[in-house]
Amino acid sequence: MIRDQLEKLARLKEPEARSKLIRTLVGEYARSEDHDPTELERELFSKIVLSVFDQLDRAARYELVVRLAKTDRIISELADRLAEEDYDLSEPVIECSPMMSQAALMRIAKSGGNNKRLSVARRSDLGEEITDTLIARSSRNVVHALLDNLDAPFSVKGTLALLIFANTEVEVLSGIAKRAMKDEDFLETQMYVLETNCPLIPPPLEKALRSGDLSRLARAIDDLERDGDIELDGVFYSRHEASIQIANGELSFDAILRTLFEEERLDAAIWLISRKINLADDVVADTLKSDADGAIMRLMLQTGIHEKTYRDFLKARCEWLDRSTRTIPELVMRYKAELKKPKQSRAPQPALKSAAG
């Protein structure tokens, strides 16, 4: 039966005949509910299809997607190949196939089009790394889809990025409030960040978290006019995306830190650095305000940031303290030289290291 047709398919040489036979075979393969294909048949079917895939016409590819996209009757290699097709063909595979590999999903998160990323954001099997990448690289409709997807996990660093967006974008603020109402783990993460006195939490969200009345915040945002900038609890928000770009399209500690420098959020940068190296906020703030270049460099070395991030930090610090930037090149050279030396013992890393490191 199926194996006989698979062997016949393997012997065919004409592309048109192959496409026709595959359409016929796919139909029978998908309809054979009384016969669950063996692992060997799955492998044989998928490998043969892959071997002739580039010769198949669109109708044959469409037949594959329609009948098999949502099943486990193909191997991951074929599901991943189908996901590379244009969006009209690949959408069901990307959004629903249980056989797509995490590596293929990550490739889409990193470099796929917005439509494909949106389909990934709706899946139920996402890991934090994929979610983080989607937050960093996608347009906001993908971020909103992630917030709506209760199966999508959010790391602490992903939450920090959401909070950066929420400081200027009321739609993201609303999405955070609504997600926290439905997802206990997500709410717990918000409370954890709140308890560390993170300055990134927008005042309306902080008020709602402390009072335990997130529904009131969600309703208030829903009732607001969205024609232009709006005011909520004395804070102005925009209906447009903020001009925040997470550096390099990833949520590393360096990337978030550089974003905070660009947004002139030194208070939040101090908070993030403090959590990274396990020092009190006031100790970090006093050090960064001082004239002790050596102490500042040692402190920043503990964070492990790249020399380019250190340069951006020095520029932001000069603006913050209204100081000259003329010594920055020399200080960056010293920092670069220290980075090349063998690592010495560092201060213990706090719980946030896994999130922002």
Side-chain angles (χ1 to χ4, degrees):
M1 344 195 297
I2 293 178
R3 188 176 299 183
D4 293 338
Q5 292 197 14
L6 290 173
E7 291 173 353
K8 179 181 178 182
L9 174 62
R11 292 192 295 269
L12 287 174
K13 298 186 182 299
E14 299 81 6
E16 297 81 4
R18 282 177 170 173
S19 291
K20 182 178 179 180
L21 180 55
I22 280 198
R23 290 199 300 273
T24 302
L25 178 58
V26 167
E28 180 176 334
Y29 186 65
R31 282 193 302 269
S32 56
E33 297 177 357
D34 57 335
H35 174 75
D36 194 21
T38 66
E39 287 300 318
L40 178 61
E41 287 172 338
R42 285 186 179 92
E43 181 84 14
L44 184 58
F45 172 81
S46 299
K47 288 292 187 181
I48 291 177
V49 171
L50 283 166
S51 70
V52 299
F53 192 89
D54 291 337
Q55 302 171 37
L56 299 180
D57 58 28
R58 188 175 180 85
R61 298 183 189 196
Y62 183 76
E63 193 80 18
L64 277 165
V65 170
V66 168
R67 294 191 179 275
L68 299 174
K70 300 180 181 181
T71 76
D72 62 356
R73 294 186 164 218
I74 57 176
I75 63 175
S76 291
E77 189 178 352
L78 179 53
D80 292 352
R81 178 62 185 85
L82 288 169
E84 296 175 7
E85 293 294 288
D86 62 73
Y87 187 65
D88 287 342
L89 272 179
S90 64
E91 178 185 7
V93 182
I94 297 172
E95 189 164 331
C96 303
S97 174
M99 302 309 297
M100 273 200 70
S101 70
Q102 292 294 301
L105 293 173
M106 178 58 82
R107 284 195 294 272
I108 294 173
K110 287 182 176 180
S111 57
N114 190 63
N115 284 340
K116 288 191 174 185
R117 285 172 172 159
L118 190 58
S119 288
V120 171
R122 294 172 176 146
R123 291 180 63 95
S124 61
D125 59 350
L126 300 180
E128 287 185 353
E129 187 178 359
I130 292 176
T131 301
D132 287 347
T133 303
L134 288 170
I135 292 172
R137 298 196 177 203
S138 305
S139 60
R140 288 298 184 273
N141 63 333
V142 175
V143 174
H144 295 314
L146 287 170
L147 284 167
D148 289 339
N149 179 2
L150 295 181
D151 292 318
F154 287 87
S155 67
V156 176
K157 62 184 179 182
T159 298
L160 295 181
L162 291 177
L163 292 174
I164 291 174
F165 302 149
N167 272 276
T168 53
E169 300 175 44
V170 72
E171 284 83 0
V172 178
L173 178 59
S174 175
I176 291 174
K178 291 176 180 178
R179 173 68 180 248
M181 290 166 56
K182 303 174 184 176
D183 183 345
E184 290 186 5
D185 290 338
F186 187 78
L187 175 59
E188 184 178 337
T189 300
Q190 306 308 309
M191 296 303 298
Y192 169 69
V193 175
L194 175 65
E195 289 165 3
T196 62
N197 298 314
C198 176
L200 286 172
I201 297 181
L205 180 59
E206 179 179 357
K207 180 179 178 182
L209 288 171
R210 292 194 185 282
S211 68
D213 194 0
L214 287 160
S215 61
R216 184 178 180 182
L217 173 61
R219 286 196 306 271
I221 294 175
D222 286 341
D223 291 340
L224 290 169
E225 294 291 334
R226 304 293 179 85
D227 293 334
D229 290 352
I230 63 170
E231 183 180 354
L232 185 64
D233 288 357
V235 180
F236 283 93
Y237 296 87
S238 171
R239 65 185 180 87
H240 302 291
E241 290 188 12
S243 58
I244 297 172
Q245 296 295 327
I246 300 297
N248 297 326
E250 58 186 36
L251 294 184
S252 65
F253 178 82
D254 282 58
I256 296 176
L257 199 59
R258 286 199 298 272
T259 298
L260 296 176
F261 295 153
E262 292 169 4
E263 294 299 308
E264 299 181 353
R265 291 300 307 270
L266 266 297
D267 57 340
I270 288 170
W271 175 87
L272 189 62
I273 292 168
S274 300
R275 298 312 168 289
K276 179 72 171 178
I277 61 178
N278 203 23
L279 286 178
D281 293 3
D282 57 352
V283 173
V284 173
D286 289 344
T287 303
L288 299 187
K289 290 178 184 176
S290 73
D291 293 319
D293 292 335
I296 292 171
M297 181 178 68
R298 287 193 296 274
L299 185 149
M300 298 305 285
L301 280 169
Q302 289 185 53
T303 69
I305 59 173
H306 190 272
E307 63 191 77
K308 292 181 180 178
T309 307
Y310 186 64
R311 180 193 60 205
D312 292 343
F313 154 72
L314 292 175
K315 290 179 179 178
R317 177 175 173 272
C318 287
E319 293 180 11
W320 178 35
L321 301 176
D322 193 23
R323 295 181 180 176
S324 170
T325 60
R326 61 183 177 81
T327 61
I328 288 180
E330 178 187 350
L331 292 174
V332 172
M333 290 297 292
R334 287 173 55 189
Y335 183 85
K336 184 177 180 180
E338 288 295 324
L339 280 179
K340 294 179 179 179
K341 294 181 180 180
K343 288 186 178 180
Q344 300 176 350
S345 59
R346 304 293 190 196
Q349 299 297 307
L352 269 182
K353 181 185 178 185
S354 62

